[in-house]
Amino acid sequence: MKAAKRWSVGNLASLPGARHRAPARRRLWMIMALSLIIMTLSLITMLAIMAYMYPHHSKRACYMISSRGCQALADWLPPSLREYSDDEIAARVVIREIMSNAPVIRRDSKIAFMFLTPGTLPFERLWDRFFQGHEGKFSVYIHASKERPVHHSQYFANREIRSDEVVWGRISMVDAERRLLANALRDPANQQFVLLSESCVPLRSFEYIYNYLMYSNLSYVDCFDDPGQHGSGRHMDHMLPEIPKKYFRKGAQWFTMKRQHAIVIMADSLYYSRFRDYCGPGIENNKNCIADEHYLPTFFHMLDPGGISNWSVTQVDWSERQWHPKTYMPEDVTHELLNNLTSSDTVVHVTSVGMGEEILMPCMWNGIKRPCFLFGRKFHPDTLDKLLDLFSNYTRSVSWHL
C-alpha cells in the first residue's frame, strides 16, 4: 500500500525529468516544421529551374509561384548555362582572335568615308572643301543604289563600288553597308570606317574628326535598350537560341568603327543570317523588324559590349516623333543651329514606350566628357549654299586638344 501511494498520479509532478517533456515536444515540432519548409523550398526551386530551362514546354509551374510567371523567375535565377552550338563556338573564337589584335596607327593611316546614296551626292562640293589639304589621310567609297552619280569633285570621281538595290527597312540596307566595308577593307591603310548618307554633312574640321576617331578606344555604334513595341517588341522567336530577346538592341545605322570591328562584321555569317532570314516586316506576328536598326547594335552588345560607345557621332533630330528624323531646311541653317549641334555633350535616345520615353547619356571620349557629334543629318539639298557660307566659321570655332 505504501508503494502504491508513492506512485500515485498526484506525485507525478515531483518525479525527476517530468518538467523536460514539454520542451522535447517543441523540439519535435520545430524539426517537423523545418523539414516541411525545406521540402517546400526544394520543390519550388526544382519547379523554378525546370520552368526556366524549359520555358516553351510549360509555363504552368511558373505561375504556381508568381503571378508574373516565368519572367519573374528569370529576374532572379542565374543565367541559363546553355551549351553553344558548333557554329556559335566557331564564330566566337574567330571574333575573339580578331579583337585580340591591337589597332595600329601609322603615319599613312586613313579614314574611309563610305557614302550610302541613291545617286548623286548633293553635298559633294561641301565635302570637297572639307577634304582639301588632307590628301593621303582619307579615302572615299560610294554605294549608289539607283543611278550613277554625277560628280563635282576630284575626290569622288570613279569612287563608286559595285552596288545593288537598297530597300529601307530590309536586309538589303545591311548588305550595302557590308559591301562598302568589304571594299574599304581592301586598303590596309584604312583604320577607321565612317558610314554616311547623301544628307550627311561634316560638323567639324577634317583635323578634328581625324584625331577624334584615330585616337579613340571605341567604335561609335549606336545601341540602346528600347523595351517598347518598336524595340525589343520586334525580336523574333525564330532568332533563338543564338539571339536571346534580352540582348536584342536598337540604334541608328550611321556608325564609325575601327578596323577590327569592320573585319568582325565581314567575318560574321551566323548572326547576320538570323537577321537576313527572320528580321523583316510581317515575318512573325506582324512584327516590323528593321534589320539596319537592330543587327549591328545587337551583334556588338552580345559580342563586344565594352568596345562600342552606344551612341552615334552623327546627329539627328527625332523631336518630331515621326518614322524619319527632322529635315533641316534653308531657313533652319544658321550659325546658332550649327553651334548648338556641335556643343551638345549629351545624347538622347527616344524609346517606343508610352509617348516616347527618353534615355539620356553623356558623350565620353576615352573617359573625358566631350561634345557628341562630328556629322549631321538630315540636311535638305537646298541648304548647300548656306552651309558653304558658314563652313569655315563653324568648323574652326573649336580646335582639337588631346
Side-chain angles (χ1 to χ4, degrees):
M1 294 295 294
K2 288 182 180 179
K5 274 188 177 180
R6 191 176 300 120
W7 294 99
S8 65
V9 175
N11 292 329
L12 283 176
S14 64
L15 289 175
R19 62 180 176 272
H20 299 292
R21 290 185 180 179
R25 289 196 191 97
R26 284 196 296 271
R27 282 198 298 272
L28 179 61
W29 279 108
M30 288 175 64
I31 293 172
M32 293 176 63
L34 185 60
S35 299
L36 182 61
I37 291 172
I38 293 173
M39 290 175 62
T40 303
L41 289 174
S42 299
L43 178 62
I44 290 174
T45 301
M46 180 181 69
L47 290 172
I49 294 174
M50 290 178 64
Y52 182 71
M53 293 179 65
Y54 308 102
H56 298 291
H57 293 210
S58 174
K59 294 186 178 181
R60 186 174 301 172
C62 301
Y63 288 93
M64 291 172 60
I65 303 163
S66 168
S67 60
R68 289 180 58 211
C70 294
Q71 181 58 46
L73 300 175
D75 289 343
W76 61 267
L77 281 171
S80 175
L81 300 178
R82 178 180 66 82
E83 185 176 355
Y84 288 137
S85 67
D86 290 344
D87 289 341
E88 287 177 283
I89 293 173
R92 289 172 179 268
V93 167
V94 169
I95 290 168
R96 184 184 63 200
E97 287 300 310
I98 294 172
M99 294 307 302
S100 66
N101 296 318
V104 178
I105 302 175
R106 305 176 304 194
R107 292 186 63 183
D108 64 344
S109 292
K110 296 190 292 187
I111 299 176
F113 290 86
M114 308 180 302
F115 291 87
L116 187 57
T117 177
T120 298
L121 293 163
F123 296 104
E124 194 168 299
R125 287 168 56 203
L126 181 66
W127 285 103
D128 181 271
R129 184 176 297 185
F130 170 79
F131 289 136
Q132 283 179 15
H134 303 286
E135 292 78 4
K137 289 190 174 183
F138 67 90
S139 52
V140 173
Y141 301 86
I142 304 169
H143 186 289
S145 59
K146 291 185 178 180
E147 58 186 21
R148 187 174 180 85
V150 176
H151 297 298
H152 305 281
S153 167
Q154 61 175 329
Y155 303 124
F156 289 82
N158 301 316
R159 299 307 301 165
E160 296 87 356
I161 67 168
R162 188 187 67 80
S163 305
D164 206 345
E165 182 184 10
V166 173
V167 180
W168 179 81
R170 302 298 182 97
I171 196 65
S172 59
M173 186 74 78
V174 175
D175 292 339
E177 296 172 7
R178 288 163 63 96
R179 202 173 290 122
L180 281 163
L181 284 172
N183 280 271
L185 282 167
R186 296 172 67 183
D187 185 345
N190 287 331
Q191 294 297 316
Q192 291 286 336
F193 302 78
V194 181
L195 182 67
L196 300 159
S197 77
E198 77 281 0
S199 66
C200 287
V201 301
L203 296 178
R204 301 285 190 180
S205 67
F206 182 91
E207 181 184 17
Y208 186 104
I209 292 176
Y210 185 89
N211 288 326
Y212 192 107
L213 296 179
M214 283 297 177
Y215 296 101
S216 174
N217 55 17
L218 298 174
S219 289
Y220 293 89
V221 178
D222 197 25
C223 176
F224 67 101
D225 182 11
D226 178 359
Q229 63 175 332
H230 300 310
S232 59
R234 294 172 174 172
H235 178 269
M236 306 288 184
D237 288 342
H238 289 87
M239 295 178 173
L240 296 170
E242 291 86 0
I243 304 175
K245 186 175 182 179
K246 64 181 179 180
Y247 294 137
F248 198 72
R249 291 296 184 271
K250 182 179 181 179
Q253 70 184 109
W254 312 108
F255 60 75
T256 70
M257 64 177 58
K258 54 189 178 181
R259 188 175 182 89
Q260 292 94 323
H261 280 155
I263 296 173
V264 162
I265 291 171
M266 298 313 303
D268 173 45
S269 60
L270 173 63
Y271 302 99
Y272 163 79
S273 69
R274 296 299 179 267
F275 284 88
R276 180 196 62 204
D277 297 340
Y278 304 120
C279 184
I283 292 178
E284 181 181 300
N285 298 328
N286 295 319
K287 295 178 181 178
N288 189 30
C289 185
I290 299 176
D292 59 89
E293 290 186 0
H294 297 287
Y295 167 56
L296 289 184
T298 301
F299 177 78
F300 283 113
H301 179 72
M302 290 179 59
L303 299 170
D304 191 20
I308 62 172
S309 63
N310 296 315
W311 49 274
S312 172
V313 291
T314 299
Q315 187 274 344
V316 291
D317 184 350
W318 289 101
S319 62
E320 295 179 348
R321 299 295 196 269
Q322 302 295 323
W323 278 103
H324 297 282
K326 171 185 171 66
T327 297
Y328 294 110
M329 302 302 293
E331 59 270 22
D332 298 319
V333 178
T334 63
H335 190 274
E336 181 181 7
L337 169 70
L338 297 171
N339 184 62
N340 289 339
L341 297 184
T342 55
S343 62
S344 175
D345 59 8
T346 302
V347 69
V348 179
H349 287 127
V350 181
T351 73
S352 56
V353 176
M355 298 300 293
E357 292 183 5
E358 296 182 345
I359 303 172
L360 278 67
M361 64 177 295
C363 297
M364 307 298 291
W365 182 89
N366 293 357
I368 304 169
K369 190 173 184 181
R370 285 187 180 272
C372 305
F373 305 119
L374 307 180
F375 311 99
R377 69 180 299 267
K378 301 174 61 173
F379 283 81
H380 192 276
D382 290 346
T383 61
L384 174 61
D385 289 339
K386 272 199 167 183
L387 288 168
L388 285 170
D389 289 340
L390 295 169
F391 180 77
S392 297
N393 289 330
Y394 76 77
T395 56
R396 291 177 183 172
S397 58
V398 179
S399 58
W400 175 264
H401 299 287
L402 286 175

